[in-house]
Amino acid sequence: MPATLQRFLQSIPQTDPMPRYFTRLVLAFLICSGGFIQNNARAAAKFTLSPGALTAYRHIMALRFDDAKLDIGQLKASEPDNYLSYYLENYILTLKIFIDEDEGELKQNSGKEDDYLRLLQKGDPQSPYFLYTQAQTRLLWAMNHAKFGAYFSAFNEAGEAYDELQKNQKKFPSFVANKLGLGVLHSIVGSIPGEYKWGVKLLSGMDGTVQQGQNEIESALEYAKTHDFAFEQEASVMYAFLMLHLKNDNDNAWNVIANSKLRPQESVLACFAVANVAMRTGRNDKAIETLERRPADAAYYPMVYLEYMLGQAKMSRGDADAETHIRHYIDAFKGRNYIKEAWQRLGWIAILKGDEAGYRRCMEKCKTQGYASVGGDKNALKEAKNGIPPDPLLLRARLLFDGGYYQKAYELLKPKRAADFNTDALQLEYTYRTGRILQLIAHPNEAIAAYLQTIDLGRDKKFYYACNAALQLGLIYEQYGNTAKAREYYTYCLRLKPDDYADALHTKAKAGLSRVK
């Protein structure tokens, strides 16, 4: 591989649980579009959404894999010419690998992708689902390759899927599912920082913008308003994730999810989607309610990450049993991601109890257990190596803020001043968190003052606080129609190069600049 491509692949930022917005949006796409299948084929090998195929698909989306396997067996027996049975089999395999994060299983089954693609290629080429199912199969495998750091394979797979969707769009321009798939890929490509886009285009041929993707997904939702669109609710998940991760529109993201027909008590993936959006839009109590009522009997394949989500949500609220849920995640999950971060969270719980020795024991575990592949684990390991425990007051304010308990966080920090903290890092964190809280409780002028103080204190420091303060100033000025000031601070955000979160912050700043041109 050329050295420049190698550097590009290694430089791609890694973040987040179901791994930041790339895998979240792809997962949403796969959830939403997996069953867009009708009886359009006329050849012997067909793509037919029969009752049996639909039942199997619904069981897969609920993570009722054993039931889905029985359905597929019956489908093969009663409809041997319906090639959706192979498509659905592949769905179970790839989702299981993704959830378990079992790299050995991925390697053991890697040859099956070609097997399933060869079978799908025997279907009716005059059906819009001929290329579409092949593209989605490739995306499922690309998602797993990306999870384990095989970016070259992932981009190749995604590029072939993109090419197939493009061809399908030309052949069947009114095929709604195709627009949905292209919308997700265009959004993902559009969100990649500019310095990496050349590599994406070189490796995959993909191009597009966030707005282009948004328009395509919105066209599918508009179609659903006047047509019987069986997968409208799943398409809503895709749109909500786009609003949340790429458009910085939390209220719209939540409104879409809250008004959808998702049934989190009957589907593990629906539970993840609802709880995830709730947690990220300051609706922590709703997230806890959703997670506590998730389907958990033996019929459902376990998604242990939901237990970790529940522990984090309870931690933000200050519930005494948060530690129990996080420890259960550590004990039960055999995958690779968010183990280090989970130990960090247990350390934080110890600090909040005044147990510094307990904190240090947890951070020693953080050093030795899990992997440092995704952003949360990298940050946890960095804190463990640093050896400096967080300030209890600022930590409690951060957790309250993350849970959407803004007024409580404000009351906690209100008596304090920056000078009350004895290090640059703590002073910066205080002014930054004060600004974030004031912004969310609708005190924009005070928030602006706190952010300007953060920039003044931190412009030459390695911490991310000044960079994010500049981004938030841009968002405030954009919200109030001062586009000149918004451009000024989005641009200033791009000039700062913090050690942490630079790519994510710069991506949002670039998106902001595109909105206020």
Side-chain angles (χ1 to χ4, degrees), residues 4-52:
T4 52
L5 285 184
Q6 185 68 40
R7 287 196 297 272
F8 160 69
L9 293 171
Q10 292 173 343
S11 68
I12 297 172
Q14 291 297 293
T15 47
D16 217 324
M18 291 238 31
R20 209 166 165 265
Y21 52 77
F22 177 83
T23 46
R24 282 197 177 132
L25 280 173
V26 172
L27 182 60
F29 165 43
L30 297 169
I31 292 169
C32 333
S33 51
F36 285 103
I37 303 174
Q38 303 168 2
N39 188 0
N40 289 321
R42 288 185 285 273
K46 299 178 290 187
F47 301 101
T48 307
L49 183 61
S50 61

Side-chain angles (χ1 to χ4, degrees), residues 121-171:
Q121 287 162 3
K122 294 179 180 179
D124 178 12
Q126 299 309 311
S127 168
Y129 300 100
F130 176 72
L131 288 174
Y132 185 79
T133 54
Q134 293 176 57
Q136 190 164 322
T137 296
R138 294 185 194 280
L139 283 173
L140 280 160
W141 287 96
M143 187 171 64
N144 279 325
H145 289 312
K147 177 177 276 285
F148 295 105
Y151 301 114
F152 190 79
S153 296
F155 276 108
N156 276 338
E157 293 281 10
E160 289 190 50
Y162 180 78
D163 185 56
E164 287 167 342
L165 289 171
Q166 291 277 64
K167 290 177 181 176
N168 213 34
Q169 182 65 25
K170 291 179 181 178
K171 193 171 182 179

Side-chain angles (χ1 to χ4, degrees), residues 384-421:
K385 290 180 176 179
N386 182 288
I388 302 174
D391 178 87
L393 182 74
L394 292 175
L395 177 59
R396 172 43 46 195
R398 172 182 178 172
L399 293 172
L400 287 169
F401 177 86
D402 289 346
Y405 308 110
Y406 307 128
Q407 193 61 40
K408 288 183 179 180
Y410 175 70
E411 295 299 331
L412 192 64
L413 293 186
K414 187 177 179 181
K416 296 291 183 179
R417 296 291 180 269
D420 295 330
F421 300 91

Side-chain angles (χ1 to χ4, degrees), residues 277-309:
V277 176
M279 288 177 70
R280 291 174 178 275
T281 59
R283 295 166 173 86
N284 202 59
D285 291 341
K286 181 64 178 178
I288 292 173
E289 175 192 340
T290 301
L291 290 165
E292 287 185 327
R293 299 172 67 186
R294 70 188 185 273
D297 63 53
Y300 295 89
Y301 195 77
M303 187 175 180
V304 189
Y305 184 71
L306 297 184
E307 186 74 359
Y308 183 47
M309 289 176 67

Side-chain angles (χ1 to χ4, degrees), residues 360-478:
R360 297 199 180 280
R361 286 194 296 272
C362 290
M363 298 313 282
E364 285 301 313
K365 292 285 190 181
C366 175
K367 291 178 185 178
T368 60
Q369 296 192 13
Y371 296 78
S373 300
V374 296
D377 287 327
K378 288 179 180 179
N379 293 334
L381 181 59
K382 184 176 180 180
E383 181 181 322
K385 290 180 176 179
N386 182 288
I388 302 174
D391 178 87
L393 182 74
L394 292 175
L395 177 59
R396 172 43 46 195
R398 172 182 178 172
L399 293 172
L400 287 169
F401 177 86
D402 289 346
Y405 308 110
Y406 307 128
Q407 193 61 40
K408 288 183 179 180
Y410 175 70
E411 295 299 331
L412 192 64
L413 293 186
K414 187 177 179 181
K416 296 291 183 179
R417 296 291 180 269
D420 295 330
F421 300 91
N422 58 10
T423 69
D424 289 346
L426 293 178
Q427 289 176 3
L428 273 169
E429 184 176 357
Y430 167 77
T431 58
Y432 166 75
R433 297 209 182 285
T434 299
R436 293 291 284 131
I437 293 164
L438 289 166
Q439 182 180 359
L440 270 295
I441 61 173
H443 292 291
N445 292 331
E446 293 92 331
I448 288 171
Y451 286 142
L452 289 173
Q453 187 179 5
T454 302
I455 291 172
D456 187 54
L457 290 170
R459 70 176 82 239
D460 298 321
K461 304 292 191 302
K462 61 182 180 179
F463 309 110
Y464 73 91
Y465 303 120
C467 187
N468 204 359
L471 172 66
Q472 298 304 322
L473 284 169
L475 291 169
I476 290 173
Y477 283 119
E478 180 184 356

